[in-house]
Amino acid sequence: MNFDALKPKVVEVLIRFDISRDEKLQLLCQLLHDNVDYYNWVGYYFANHDAQTLHLGPYVGAETDHTVIPFGKGICGQVAVSNKNFVVPDVSAQDNYIACSFTVKSEIVVPLFVNGKNIGQIDIDSHVLDPFTKKDEKFLEFVNEEVAKLF
């Protein structure tokens, strides 16, 4: 499915009134995982600015031991500090990468801003080398703009 066709489905999930925010995020992760072939792990991490850590939120994909990530550590931790998208075409070429699984070949992380503050991020792992394009970045920025309305 193309990203333009997915956008209304993203909104449809996020405007539901019958489920909690975490349930909406879980359904959103499932929607992305199920509709983009190379999105093999889709999840959210949320920032604790006092502790300078990220905490795993809803996700779909293989279980991860990385439930708490210090700011600056790994791709997610770097995004918590830089406040910028981070696309990693080949995780084996990154020295500050936290290995989740040998099957992960690439990663994209897009920060989630609420009132100008980075409160977390969407993190997507792929089993494919270099699948992420500017279209993925723009789409995930759209997704996070919609998610921000939940906060």
Side-chain angles (χ1 to χ4, degrees):
M1 180 177 287
N2 73 37
F3 293 133
D4 287 335
L6 261 181
K7 285 180 177 182
K9 294 179 181 299
V10 167
V11 173
E12 192 178 296
V13 165
L14 296 176
I15 63 171
R16 288 184 56 179
F17 293 106
D18 59 327
I19 56 176
S20 71
R21 178 171 59 202
D22 276 357
E23 289 170 315
K24 291 176 189 181
L25 291 175
Q26 185 70 44
L27 286 175
L28 173 62
C29 291
Q30 191 71 56
L31 176 74
L32 299 181
H33 180 270
D34 291 350
N35 286 281
V36 183
D37 292 344
Y38 53 93
Y39 284 15
N40 302 114
W41 190 98
V42 180
Y44 275 89
Y45 281 93
F46 292 98
N48 178 326
H49 288 280
D50 293 333
Q52 297 284 287
T53 52
L54 294 166
H55 297 265
L56 182 62
Y59 72 94
V60 172
E63 277 194 50
T64 179
D65 293 334
H66 306 292
T67 57
V68 178
I69 299 173
F71 282 17
K73 180 93 170 122
I75 308 308
C76 290
Q78 289 176 75
V79 169
V81 174
S82 73
N83 297 318
K84 292 184 166 78
N85 298 351
F86 198 160
V87 179
V88 182
D90 180 356
V91 297
S92 69
Q94 285 289 318
D95 14 337
N96 191 9
Y97 173 69
I98 302 172
C100 298
S101 164
F102 70 92
T103 58
V104 176
K105 305 289 187 224
S106 56
E107 183 173 10
I108 185 171
V109 179
V110 176
L112 170 61
F113 295 100
V114 174
N115 300 321
K117 184 176 185 177
N118 182 349
I119 67 154
Q121 55 208 224
I122 189 168
D123 177 21
I124 299 176
D125 293 341
S126 179
H127 299 163
V128 178
L129 276 173
D130 199 14
F132 303 113
T133 67
K134 283 287 180 198
K135 288 181 181 177
D136 292 274
E137 283 191 75
K138 293 295 175 204
F139 173 68
L140 295 171
E141 287 169 358
F142 164 82
V143 168
N144 276 355
E145 287 167 11
E146 294 300 314
V147 168
K149 296 173 184 175
L150 301 177
F151 292 85

